[in-house]
Amino acid sequence: MAEETVSAALTLKDIAREAGVSLATVDRVLHKRPGVRPDTVRRVQETIARNAFQPHVAAAELARGRARRFAFVMPTGANPFMQQIEAYLGEMSAWLSARRLNVELINTDVFDPSVLAASLETLSGDYDGVAVVALDHPGVRAAINDLVDAGTKVVTLVSDVPSSRRHHYVGIDNIAAGRTAGALVGRLVGEKPGKVAIIAGSQGLRDHAERIFGFNQVMASEFSHLDILPLLEGRDEDDRSEQLLSRLLGKHPDIIGLYNVGAGTQGVAKALTEAGREKQVVFIAHDLTAMTRRLLLQGTLDVAISQNPGHEARAAVRVLLSLARNEPILSEQENIRIDILMRDNLP
Amino acid sequence: MAEETVSAALTLKDIAREAGVSLATVDRVLHKRPGVRPDTVRRVQETIARNAFQPHVAAAELARGRARRFAFVMPTGANPFMQQIEAYLGEMSAWLSARRLNVELINTDVFDPSVLAASLETLSGDYDGVAVVALDHPGVRAAINDLVDAGTKVVTLVSDVPSSRRHHYVGIDNIAAGRTAGALVGRLVGEKPGKVAIIAGSQGLRDHAERIFGFNQVMASEFSHLDILPLLEGRDEDDRSEQLLSRLLGKHPDIIGLYNVGAGTQGVAKALTEAGREKQVVFIAHDLTAMTRRLLLQGTLDVAISQNPGHEARAAVRVLLSLARNEPILSEQENIRIDILMRDNLP
DNA sequence: GGCGTTTTGAGGTACGCAACTCATTTTGAG
DNA sequence: CTCAAAATGAGTTGCGTACCTCAAAACGCC
């Protein structure tokens, strides 16, 4: 039996004594407050490092008095994925309040850059941290940078703005998600030749464009015997997606693969089943909802590629909290995975 | 814009005032200490419920003074998966010490029931919580129950003892994992007939047996055109697995699917590549290690089914902590998923 | 009504840190 | 050397809870 050392639980007082300074000076160093000579700063920091001292989170939290405020800026409307994220935030409410964390939901039209940017500007100063489902647009980028400059911690959620100075991105790599979809379609259709249909909300949406890019990449390099049909744009709407796909299925009796990049999966599935082709076509879509779960169990949908909304909600909160506390982030924990869900590994 | 209510952050004092009792009485109720009339208990509890009062975690943690001690009882030896769990515990050390949590690793021969049971018995009273990779055996079950009776929180890790009174299980449903493997083999080989080989460590290991069960279930019900060969037992050893599989591959030139249930994946892969059959055989194995990652990227391994060791390590710690604090568990968060990993969705 | 027992109140201390004040010492520029 | 500015020490208060003691009140029983 091997045991790890049981740390002696040092306190700030111990550090002060060992560094030969007063408690106040250690406090100044710890919070990067001015009024300490560089020499002294170094001496204190070395003592902290040497002892691997960690301030007691509970004591720090208790001492600061005021609660932390986080804002989640989410899209208005009935997007089920976003609603799931909001639902999981609700499930955390006991956890949050036991830690005196206030999380406020702010619904905005995140697809209008000026509205989103204006929304973000109003938050300045009022919040310790902001999580935002962000559109990648210069105005939004500027608003994010302003928040960061004002000392607010900013996390992009689901959709990133890599060119901004946001502290963290909580979401998946959509190119890899598209590649995964491509590999699955290619592998599941087998070796027979045929056509593959892709339907997306819009090529203008960054995440959709990235998924399509990754999908095409894999199809071209690994499954060149398959014929990729021109992209359909269903605007994430069930009806429109259904109509477009119905027409396409009628025109091409040899479609053997189908990838729905965005929402509208219900419409896509309806077109497929009404054509009586659900058993012959490998169908892959995104996200796990009550509906995609049903389609998976029925066998209409072969694979759902998803990002875990609960994980994203919790990761965003944890990251904001760690940033606010100036605490390291457990990167492996906060990294969102691309989940491949089939009938037998449904959560 | 909709906002959630910002709770007023009640304290115990507020509850005491509203219930018309003293702080001491509220404290007694909260900690289920004796000396309070049933009537009063009810009144206090109702006040707590009515206000959705949550004790401030930080204050409670600070006030209790002593650190919590958790023990992780893990197998001795070089099992890479277990080593990954231990590694992730190491990565948490800053997180743990900032919360004054002591996690101690205790390596034991978990495959010998009497040794494991004895190991568990020695822990009684010394620890607030124990996470154990448990063998399902009456002696072990009794030892776990003894720990629970002594007030220690117990979590089974990776391998469960469902008949014990352990508080929680952190790990995957291995039957579902086997079903997933079966569905993937069946779907990836396509419609052509052929033989499928299964190699496991031992049928005596509960997790292996469960995976085999799930695998066979799916094969029988959904892919009955495939011929399942008799199980090979490789004892999780590379060399033995390689030899067994080499012989089998020589005997059956029409093997098109291969499922490795346990460890020894390196040996299995070697047999496959030395026979020059890695492109013709759909190969599915468990767990993500440096080696299986390499095999996935090479294309030798088609899919790795895995449970996230980092997640399991963190979930075990969080669950033990929540149990010790008498705090609800975020079940969706602690539920371990069956990950399907392919080349393109590697983390 | 008196007794012992149970229940309750009142109060204190401690936990480790943040944040603040104010006095004192040190430093560097002139 | 002088003086203002910078650096530091010393100390206080409060955060919300756990845990403890002791006294007082209420209760149930005969």
Side-chain angles (χ1 to χ4, degrees), chain B residues 11-55:
Chain B
T11 73
L12 276 185
K13 216 188 296 183
D14 301 315
I15 299 298
R17 190 176 339 108
E18 182 169 334
V21 298
S22 74
L23 254 177
T25 300
V26 178
D27 186 69
R28 288 177 187 120
V29 171
L30 214 54
H31 298 93
K32 305 192 205 314
R33 277 190 274 265
V36 185
R37 232 171 321 172
D39 266 15
T40 316
V41 171
R42 196 167 340 108
R43 205 167 72 242
V44 172
Q45 282 175 338
E46 273 168 13
T47 310
I48 289 177
R50 180 161 6 96
N51 295 289
F53 168 75
Q54 299 275 123

mmCIF file of all heavy atoms in Angstrom, chain B residues 11-55:
data_model
loop_
_atom_site.group_PDB
_atom_site.id
_atom_site.type_symbol
_atom_site.label_atom_id
_atom_site.label_comp_id
_atom_site.label_asym_id
_atom_site.label_seq_id
_atom_site.Cartn_x
_atom_site.Cartn_y
_atom_site.Cartn_z
ATOM 1 N N THR B 11 -29.507 33.552 5.740
ATOM 2 C CA THR B 11 -28.555 32.846 6.592
ATOM 3 C C THR B 11 -29.324 32.076 7.660
ATOM 4 O O THR B 11 -30.543 32.230 7.799
ATOM 5 C CB THR B 11 -27.585 33.824 7.269
ATOM 6 O OG1 THR B 11 -28.310 34.530 8.281
ATOM 7 C CG2 THR B 11 -26.988 34.787 6.270
ATOM 8 N N LEU B 12 -28.582 31.290 8.394
ATOM 9 C CA LEU B 12 -29.202 30.526 9.468
ATOM 10 C C LEU B 12 -29.938 31.439 10.437
ATOM 11 O O LEU B 12 -30.984 31.079 10.978
ATOM 12 C CB LEU B 12 -28.135 29.732 10.231
ATOM 13 C CG LEU B 12 -27.743 28.395 9.623
ATOM 14 C CD1 LEU B 12 -26.779 27.673 10.541
ATOM 15 C CD2 LEU B 12 -29.010 27.552 9.443
ATOM 16 N N LYS B 13 -29.361 32.602 10.656
ATOM 17 C CA LYS B 13 -29.969 33.535 11.606
ATOM 18 C C LYS B 13 -31.380 33.930 11.150
ATOM 19 O O LYS B 13 -32.309 34.013 11.964
ATOM 20 C CB LYS B 13 -29.089 34.792 11.708
ATOM 21 C CG LYS B 13 -29.047 35.379 13.102
ATOM 22 C CD LYS B 13 -28.321 36.713 13.106
ATOM 23 C CE LYS B 13 -26.850 36.551 12.716
ATOM 24 N NZ LYS B 13 -26.117 37.849 12.779
ATOM 25 N N ASP B 14 -31.497 34.152 9.837
ATOM 26 C CA ASP B 14 -32.808 34.528 9.299
ATOM 27 C C ASP B 14 -33.817 33.407 9.519
ATOM 28 O O ASP B 14 -34.971 33.656 9.865
ATOM 29 C CB ASP B 14 -32.691 34.823 7.793
ATOM 30 C CG ASP B 14 -31.703 35.946 7.520
ATOM 31 O OD1 ASP B 14 -31.767 36.958 8.235
ATOM 32 O OD2 ASP B 14 -30.862 35.795 6.623
ATOM 33 N N ILE B 15 -33.367 32.192 9.296
ATOM 34 C CA ILE B 15 -34.253 31.042 9.477
ATOM 35 C C ILE B 15 -34.692 30.953 10.932
ATOM 36 O O ILE B 15 -35.867 30.725 11.244
ATOM 37 C CB ILE B 15 -33.544 29.738 9.048
ATOM 38 C CG1 ILE B 15 -33.172 29.805 7.568
ATOM 39 C CG2 ILE B 15 -34.427 28.529 9.319
ATOM 40 C CD1 ILE B 15 -34.336 29.946 6.629
ATOM 41 N N ALA B 16 -33.730 31.134 11.819
ATOM 42 C CA ALA B 16 -34.042 31.054 13.248
ATOM 43 C C ALA B 16 -35.094 32.097 13.627
ATOM 44 O O ALA B 16 -36.077 31.794 14.310
ATOM 45 C CB ALA B 16 -32.764 31.267 14.058
ATOM 46 N N ARG B 17 -34.893 33.305 13.150
ATOM 47 C CA ARG B 17 -35.834 34.369 13.488
ATOM 48 C C ARG B 17 -37.230 34.026 12.961
ATOM 49 O O ARG B 17 -38.218 34.081 13.680
ATOM 50 C CB ARG B 17 -35.355 35.702 12.910
ATOM 51 C CG ARG B 17 -36.154 36.871 13.441
ATOM 52 C CD ARG B 17 -35.645 38.236 12.965
ATOM 53 N NE ARG B 17 -34.270 38.231 12.528
ATOM 54 C CZ ARG B 17 -33.889 38.331 11.249
ATOM 55 N NH1 ARG B 17 -34.817 38.423 10.305
ATOM 56 N NH2 ARG B 17 -32.609 38.339 10.906
ATOM 57 N N GLU B 18 -37.266 33.627 11.672
ATOM 58 C CA GLU B 18 -38.563 33.367 11.060
ATOM 59 C C GLU B 18 -39.279 32.178 11.703
ATOM 60 O O GLU B 18 -40.507 32.171 11.810
ATOM 61 C CB GLU B 18 -38.399 33.139 9.552
ATOM 62 C CG GLU B 18 -39.726 32.918 8.858
ATOM 63 C CD GLU B 18 -39.602 32.951 7.335
ATOM 64 O OE1 GLU B 18 -38.676 33.595 6.823
ATOM 65 O OE2 GLU B 18 -40.446 32.321 6.675
ATOM 66 N N ALA B 19 -38.510 31.187 12.136
ATOM 67 C CA ALA B 19 -39.141 30.014 12.758
ATOM 68 C C ALA B 19 -39.431 30.269 14.226
ATOM 69 O O ALA B 19 -40.067 29.443 14.898
ATOM 70 C CB ALA B 19 -38.234 28.797 12.588
ATOM 71 N N GLY B 20 -38.943 31.373 14.744
ATOM 72 C CA GLY B 20 -39.185 31.695 16.141
ATOM 73 C C GLY B 20 -38.414 30.818 17.105
ATOM 74 O O GLY B 20 -38.867 30.520 18.207
ATOM 75 N N VAL B 21 -37.252 30.381 16.699
ATOM 76 C CA VAL B 21 -36.402 29.585 17.578
ATOM 77 C C VAL B 21 -35.006 30.198 17.590
ATOM 78 O O VAL B 21 -34.757 31.192 16.921
ATOM 79 C CB VAL B 21 -36.318 28.117 17.112
ATOM 80 C CG1 VAL B 21 -37.674 27.457 17.137
ATOM 81 C CG2 VAL B 21 -35.711 28.039 15.721
ATOM 82 N N SER B 22 -34.134 29.582 18.360
ATOM 83 C CA SER B 22 -32.780 30.119 18.430
ATOM 84 C C SER B 22 -31.892 29.448 17.391
ATOM 85 O O SER B 22 -32.240 28.419 16.812
ATOM 86 C CB SER B 22 -32.188 29.874 19.806
ATOM 87 O OG SER B 22 -31.843 28.516 19.927
ATOM 88 N N LEU B 23 -30.744 30.059 17.174
ATOM 89 C CA LEU B 23 -29.766 29.508 16.239
ATOM 90 C C LEU B 23 -29.421 28.066 16.593
ATOM 91 O O LEU B 23 -29.288 27.206 15.713
ATOM 92 C CB LEU B 23 -28.490 30.348 16.285
ATOM 93 C CG LEU B 23 -28.232 31.274 15.098
ATOM 94 C CD1 LEU B 23 -26.985 32.083 15.322
ATOM 95 C CD2 LEU B 23 -28.087 30.416 13.849
ATOM 96 N N ALA B 24 -29.275 27.819 17.883
ATOM 97 C CA ALA B 24 -28.869 26.477 18.322
ATOM 98 C C ALA B 24 -29.884 25.432 17.891
ATOM 99 O O ALA B 24 -29.513 24.335 17.467
ATOM 100 C CB ALA B 24 -28.703 26.455 19.842
ATOM 101 N N THR B 25 -31.142 25.775 17.964
ATOM 102 C CA THR B 25 -32.174 24.805 17.589
ATOM 103 C C THR B 25 -32.147 24.522 16.089
ATOM 104 O O THR B 25 -32.241 23.376 15.655
ATOM 105 C CB THR B 25 -33.554 25.322 18.014
ATOM 106 O OG1 THR B 25 -33.544 25.500 19.425
ATOM 107 C CG2 THR B 25 -34.632 24.339 17.634
ATOM 108 N N VAL B 26 -32.009 25.582 15.317
ATOM 109 C CA VAL B 26 -31.894 25.382 13.873
ATOM 110 C C VAL B 26 -30.708 24.464 13.581
ATOM 111 O O VAL B 26 -30.791 23.536 12.768
ATOM 112 C CB VAL B 26 -31.710 26.717 13.135
ATOM 113 C CG1 VAL B 26 -31.549 26.482 11.644
ATOM 114 C CG2 VAL B 26 -32.877 27.634 13.397
ATOM 115 N N ASP B 27 -29.622 24.720 14.249
ATOM 116 C CA ASP B 27 -28.426 23.915 14.065
ATOM 117 C C ASP B 27 -28.713 22.447 14.396
ATOM 118 O O ASP B 27 -28.305 21.544 13.675
ATOM 119 C CB ASP B 27 -27.315 24.453 14.958
ATOM 120 C CG ASP B 27 -25.999 23.754 14.702
ATOM 121 O OD1 ASP B 27 -25.433 23.966 13.609
ATOM 122 O OD2 ASP B 27 -25.563 22.977 15.562
ATOM 123 N N ARG B 28 -29.432 22.236 15.489
ATOM 124 C CA ARG B 28 -29.752 20.855 15.887
ATOM 125 C C ARG B 28 -30.598 20.162 14.819
ATOM 126 O O ARG B 28 -30.378 19.001 14.486
ATOM 127 C CB ARG B 28 -30.493 20.853 17.220
ATOM 128 C CG ARG B 28 -29.597 21.193 18.401
ATOM 129 C CD ARG B 28 -30.383 21.251 19.720
ATOM 130 N NE ARG B 28 -29.510 21.735 20.800
ATOM 131 C CZ ARG B 28 -29.737 22.832 21.506
ATOM 132 N NH1 ARG B 28 -30.817 23.567 21.276
ATOM 133 N NH2 ARG B 28 -28.901 23.204 22.449
ATOM 134 N N VAL B 29 -31.551 20.895 14.304
ATOM 135 C CA VAL B 29 -32.404 20.305 13.265
ATOM 136 C C VAL B 29 -31.583 19.997 12.020
ATOM 137 O O VAL B 29 -31.667 18.902 11.450
ATOM 138 C CB VAL B 29 -33.563 21.262 12.908
ATOM 139 C CG1 VAL B 29 -34.322 20.749 11.690
ATOM 140 C CG2 VAL B 29 -34.488 21.423 14.090
ATOM 141 N N LEU B 30 -30.775 20.966 11.644
ATOM 142 C CA LEU B 30 -30.006 20.827 10.416
ATOM 143 C C LEU B 30 -29.068 19.620 10.471
ATOM 144 O O LEU B 30 -28.809 18.977 9.449
ATOM 145 C CB LEU B 30 -29.195 22.109 10.190
ATOM 146 C CG LEU B 30 -28.983 22.549 8.753
ATOM 147 C CD1 LEU B 30 -30.305 22.655 8.026
ATOM 148 C CD2 LEU B 30 -28.259 23.882 8.729
ATOM 149 N N HIS B 31 -28.565 19.318 11.621
ATOM 150 C CA HIS B 31 -27.611 18.206 11.731
ATOM 151 C C HIS B 31 -28.217 16.992 12.407
ATOM 152 O O HIS B 31 -27.490 16.112 12.868
ATOM 153 C CB HIS B 31 -26.356 18.669 12.470
ATOM 154 C CG HIS B 31 -25.625 19.755 11.753
ATOM 155 N ND1 HIS B 31 -25.863 21.077 12.009
ATOM 156 C CD2 HIS B 31 -24.722 19.723 10.747
ATOM 157 C CE1 HIS B 31 -25.101 21.817 11.206
ATOM 158 N NE2 HIS B 31 -24.414 21.024 10.438
ATOM 159 N N LYS B 32 -29.520 16.994 12.459
ATOM 160 C CA LYS B 32 -30.249 15.843 12.993
ATOM 161 C C LYS B 32 -29.716 15.424 14.362
ATOM 162 O O LYS B 32 -29.540 14.247 14.646
ATOM 163 C CB LYS B 32 -30.165 14.655 12.025
ATOM 164 C CG LYS B 32 -30.637 14.961 10.620
ATOM 165 C CD LYS B 32 -30.801 13.673 9.815
ATOM 166 C CE LYS B 32 -30.666 13.912 8.313
ATOM 167 N NZ LYS B 32 -31.396 15.059 7.788
ATOM 168 N N ARG B 33 -29.428 16.422 15.172
ATOM 169 C CA ARG B 33 -28.980 16.123 16.526
ATOM 170 C C ARG B 33 -30.213 16.037 17.422
ATOM 171 O O ARG B 33 -31.239 16.675 17.149
ATOM 172 C CB ARG B 33 -28.038 17.210 17.034
ATOM 173 C CG ARG B 33 -26.617 17.013 16.556
ATOM 174 C CD ARG B 33 -25.676 17.969 17.289
ATOM 175 N NE ARG B 33 -25.614 19.257 16.622
ATOM 176 C CZ ARG B 33 -24.683 19.592 15.729
ATOM 177 N NH1 ARG B 33 -23.738 18.731 15.414
ATOM 178 N NH2 ARG B 33 -24.679 20.775 15.165
ATOM 179 N N PRO B 34 -30.122 15.247 18.479
ATOM 180 C CA PRO B 34 -31.299 15.041 19.327
ATOM 181 C C PRO B 34 -31.591 16.262 20.203
ATOM 182 O O PRO B 34 -30.815 17.202 20.255
ATOM 183 C CB PRO B 34 -30.883 13.854 20.202
ATOM 184 C CG PRO B 34 -29.397 13.965 20.281
ATOM 185 C CD PRO B 34 -28.940 14.529 18.957
ATOM 186 N N GLY B 35 -32.708 16.205 20.864
ATOM 187 C CA GLY B 35 -33.043 17.256 21.806
ATOM 188 C C GLY B 35 -33.945 18.317 21.228
ATOM 189 O O GLY B 35 -33.928 19.464 21.687
ATOM 190 N N VAL B 36 -34.713 17.950 20.216
ATOM 191 C CA VAL B 36 -35.678 18.910 19.665
ATOM 192 C C VAL B 36 -37.022 18.205 19.507
ATOM 193 O O VAL B 36 -37.082 17.082 19.009
ATOM 194 C CB VAL B 36 -35.221 19.464 18.292
ATOM 195 C CG1 VAL B 36 -36.185 20.548 17.831
ATOM 196 C CG2 VAL B 36 -33.810 19.997 18.380
ATOM 197 N N ARG B 37 -38.059 18.854 19.967
ATOM 198 C CA ARG B 37 -39.388 18.251 19.869
ATOM 199 C C ARG B 37 -39.806 18.107 18.401
ATOM 200 O O ARG B 37 -39.543 19.020 17.601
ATOM 201 C CB ARG B 37 -40.409 19.122 20.594
ATOM 202 C CG ARG B 37 -41.253 18.360 21.594
ATOM 203 C CD ARG B 37 -42.064 19.328 22.390
ATOM 204 N NE ARG B 37 -41.267 20.539 22.700
ATOM 205 C CZ ARG B 37 -41.749 21.618 23.252
ATOM 206 N NH1 ARG B 37 -43.029 21.678 23.573
ATOM 207 N NH2 ARG B 37 -40.978 22.649 23.516
ATOM 208 N N PRO B 38 -40.468 17.003 18.058
ATOM 209 C CA PRO B 38 -40.918 16.769 16.667
ATOM 210 C C PRO B 38 -41.637 17.970 16.074
ATOM 211 O O PRO B 38 -41.390 18.326 14.911
ATOM 212 C CB PRO B 38 -41.870 15.586 16.816
ATOM 213 C CG PRO B 38 -41.376 14.849 18.018
ATOM 214 C CD PRO B 38 -40.798 15.883 18.937
ATOM 215 N N ASP B 39 -42.483 18.589 16.857
ATOM 216 C CA ASP B 39 -43.189 19.792 16.411
ATOM 217 C C ASP B 39 -42.230 20.862 15.933
ATOM 218 O O ASP B 39 -42.367 21.427 14.849
ATOM 219 C CB ASP B 39 -44.001 20.386 17.576
ATOM 220 C CG ASP B 39 -45.419 19.877 17.549
ATOM 221 O OD1 ASP B 39 -45.660 18.880 16.829
ATOM 222 O OD2 ASP B 39 -46.268 20.472 18.235
ATOM 223 N N THR B 40 -41.255 21.130 16.789
ATOM 224 C CA THR B 40 -40.290 22.183 16.471
ATOM 225 C C THR B 40 -39.472 21.811 15.247
ATOM 226 O O THR B 40 -39.205 22.653 14.386
ATOM 227 C CB THR B 40 -39.357 22.400 17.680
ATOM 228 O OG1 THR B 40 -40.150 22.404 18.861
ATOM 229 C CG2 THR B 40 -38.621 23.696 17.552
ATOM 230 N N VAL B 41 -39.089 20.538 15.183
ATOM 231 C CA VAL B 41 -38.330 20.083 14.016
ATOM 232 C C VAL B 41 -39.105 20.415 12.746
ATOM 233 O O VAL B 41 -38.564 20.975 11.795
ATOM 234 C CB VAL B 41 -38.082 18.559 14.095
ATOM 235 C CG1 VAL B 41 -37.501 18.051 12.780
ATOM 236 C CG2 VAL B 41 -37.159 18.230 15.249
ATOM 237 N N ARG B 42 -40.383 20.060 12.766
ATOM 238 C CA ARG B 42 -41.185 20.290 11.585
ATOM 239 C C ARG B 42 -41.260 21.779 11.250
ATOM 240 O O ARG B 42 -41.108 22.184 10.108
ATOM 241 C CB ARG B 42 -42.599 19.709 11.773
ATOM 242 C CG ARG B 42 -43.348 19.561 10.459
ATOM 243 C CD ARG B 42 -44.602 18.717 10.600
ATOM 244 N NE ARG B 42 -44.598 17.859 11.789
ATOM 245 C CZ ARG B 42 -45.354 18.062 12.858
ATOM 246 N NH1 ARG B 42 -46.162 19.099 12.908
ATOM 247 N NH2 ARG B 42 -45.320 17.215 13.869
ATOM 248 N N ARG B 43 -41.447 22.583 12.274
ATOM 249 C CA ARG B 43 -41.576 24.015 12.026
ATOM 250 C C ARG B 43 -40.302 24.569 11.381
ATOM 251 O O ARG B 43 -40.358 25.335 10.421
ATOM 252 C CB ARG B 43 -41.869 24.743 13.346
ATOM 253 C CG ARG B 43 -42.586 26.053 13.155
ATOM 254 C CD ARG B 43 -43.152 26.614 14.440
ATOM 255 N NE ARG B 43 -42.169 27.131 15.354
ATOM 256 C CZ ARG B 43 -41.930 26.668 16.577
ATOM 257 N NH1 ARG B 43 -42.615 25.627 17.028
ATOM 258 N NH2 ARG B 43 -41.022 27.216 17.351
ATOM 259 N N VAL B 44 -39.190 24.135 11.914
ATOM 260 C CA VAL B 44 -37.917 24.625 11.369
ATOM 261 C C VAL B 44 -37.726 24.134 9.936
ATOM 262 O O VAL B 44 -37.363 24.908 9.036
ATOM 263 C CB VAL B 44 -36.741 24.156 12.250
ATOM 264 C CG1 VAL B 44 -35.417 24.501 11.586
ATOM 265 C CG2 VAL B 44 -36.837 24.799 13.622
ATOM 266 N N GLN B 45 -38.001 22.853 9.730
ATOM 267 C CA GLN B 45 -37.820 22.311 8.386
ATOM 268 C C GLN B 45 -38.724 23.003 7.374
ATOM 269 O O GLN B 45 -38.318 23.240 6.227
ATOM 270 C CB GLN B 45 -38.084 20.809 8.383
ATOM 271 C CG GLN B 45 -36.907 20.013 8.938
ATOM 272 C CD GLN B 45 -37.216 18.536 9.050
ATOM 273 O OE1 GLN B 45 -38.379 18.143 9.104
ATOM 274 N NE2 GLN B 45 -36.164 17.723 9.093
ATOM 275 N N GLU B 46 -39.912 23.322 7.810
ATOM 276 C CA GLU B 46 -40.819 24.011 6.897
ATOM 277 C C GLU B 46 -40.303 25.395 6.538
ATOM 278 O O GLU B 46 -40.395 25.832 5.387
ATOM 279 C CB GLU B 46 -42.219 24.121 7.518
ATOM 280 C CG GLU B 46 -43.076 22.895 7.227
ATOM 281 C CD GLU B 46 -44.333 22.877 8.087
ATOM 282 O OE1 GLU B 46 -44.632 23.911 8.702
ATOM 283 O OE2 GLU B 46 -44.992 21.819 8.134
ATOM 284 N N THR B 47 -39.762 26.057 7.537
ATOM 285 C CA THR B 47 -39.195 27.382 7.265
ATOM 286 C C THR B 47 -38.036 27.279 6.286
ATOM 287 O O THR B 47 -37.906 28.087 5.357
ATOM 288 C CB THR B 47 -38.706 28.014 8.582
ATOM 289 O OG1 THR B 47 -39.742 27.920 9.546
ATOM 290 C CG2 THR B 47 -38.331 29.458 8.356
ATOM 291 N N ILE B 48 -37.203 26.265 6.490
ATOM 292 C CA ILE B 48 -36.072 26.058 5.582
ATOM 293 C C ILE B 48 -36.582 25.796 4.170
ATOM 294 O O ILE B 48 -36.114 26.390 3.197
ATOM 295 C CB ILE B 48 -35.210 24.878 6.078
ATOM 296 C CG1 ILE B 48 -34.464 25.280 7.346
ATOM 297 C CG2 ILE B 48 -34.240 24.436 4.992
ATOM 298 C CD1 ILE B 48 -33.642 24.172 7.959
ATOM 299 N N ALA B 49 -37.570 24.925 4.067
ATOM 300 C CA ALA B 49 -38.096 24.570 2.746
ATOM 301 C C ALA B 49 -38.776 25.773 2.098
ATOM 302 O O ALA B 49 -38.571 26.054 0.918
ATOM 303 C CB ALA B 49 -39.069 23.403 2.867
ATOM 304 N N ARG B 50 -39.589 26.467 2.897
ATOM 305 C CA ARG B 50 -40.333 27.591 2.345
ATOM 306 C C ARG B 50 -39.405 28.634 1.726
ATOM 307 O O ARG B 50 -39.690 29.214 0.690
ATOM 308 C CB ARG B 50 -41.201 28.213 3.448
ATOM 309 C CG ARG B 50 -42.022 29.387 2.997
ATOM 310 C CD ARG B 50 -43.178 29.667 3.951
ATOM 311 N NE ARG B 50 -43.193 28.856 5.166
ATOM 312 C CZ ARG B 50 -42.700 29.249 6.343
ATOM 313 N NH1 ARG B 50 -42.149 30.442 6.467
ATOM 314 N NH2 ARG B 50 -42.773 28.451 7.400
ATOM 315 N N ASN B 51 -38.253 28.834 2.374
ATOM 316 C CA ASN B 51 -37.324 29.841 1.871
ATOM 317 C C ASN B 51 -36.266 29.257 0.936
ATOM 318 O O ASN B 51 -35.360 29.956 0.509
ATOM 319 C CB ASN B 51 -36.629 30.525 3.045
ATOM 320 C CG ASN B 51 -37.605 31.315 3.889
ATOM 321 O OD1 ASN B 51 -38.093 32.342 3.461
ATOM 322 N ND2 ASN B 51 -37.909 30.812 5.075
ATOM 323 N N ALA B 52 -36.387 27.950 0.679
ATOM 324 C CA ALA B 52 -35.372 27.283 -0.146
ATOM 325 C C ALA B 52 -33.978 27.626 0.367
ATOM 326 O O ALA B 52 -33.064 27.927 -0.397
ATOM 327 C CB ALA B 52 -35.518 27.662 -1.613
ATOM 328 N N PHE B 53 -33.855 27.576 1.677
ATOM 329 C CA PHE B 53 -32.577 27.943 2.286
ATOM 330 C C PHE B 53 -31.508 26.891 2.001
ATOM 331 O O PHE B 53 -31.738 25.696 2.116
ATOM 332 C CB PHE B 53 -32.737 28.111 3.793
ATOM 333 C CG PHE B 53 -31.428 28.207 4.510
ATOM 334 C CD1 PHE B 53 -30.674 29.373 4.445
ATOM 335 C CD2 PHE B 53 -30.945 27.134 5.232
ATOM 336 C CE1 PHE B 53 -29.454 29.459 5.094
ATOM 337 C CE2 PHE B 53 -29.723 27.216 5.891
ATOM 338 C CZ PHE B 53 -28.985 28.378 5.822
ATOM 339 N N GLN B 54 -30.348 27.369 1.612
ATOM 340 C CA GLN B 54 -29.196 26.493 1.416
ATOM 341 C C GLN B 54 -28.076 26.999 2.303
ATOM 342 O O GLN B 54 -27.665 28.157 2.148
ATOM 343 C CB GLN B 54 -28.703 26.591 -0.018
ATOM 344 C CG GLN B 54 -29.689 26.197 -1.069
ATOM 345 C CD GLN B 54 -29.662 24.709 -1.283
ATOM 346 O OE1 GLN B 54 -30.693 24.058 -1.154
ATOM 347 N NE2 GLN B 54 -28.492 24.161 -1.563
ATOM 348 N N PRO B 55 -27.535 26.160 3.181
ATOM 349 C CA PRO B 55 -26.384 26.616 3.961
ATOM 350 C C PRO B 55 -25.250 26.994 3.026
ATOM 351 O O PRO B 55 -25.054 26.360 1.988
ATOM 352 C CB PRO B 55 -26.001 25.381 4.788
ATOM 353 C CG PRO B 55 -27.192 24.499 4.765
ATOM 354 C CD PRO B 55 -27.921 24.786 3.498
#
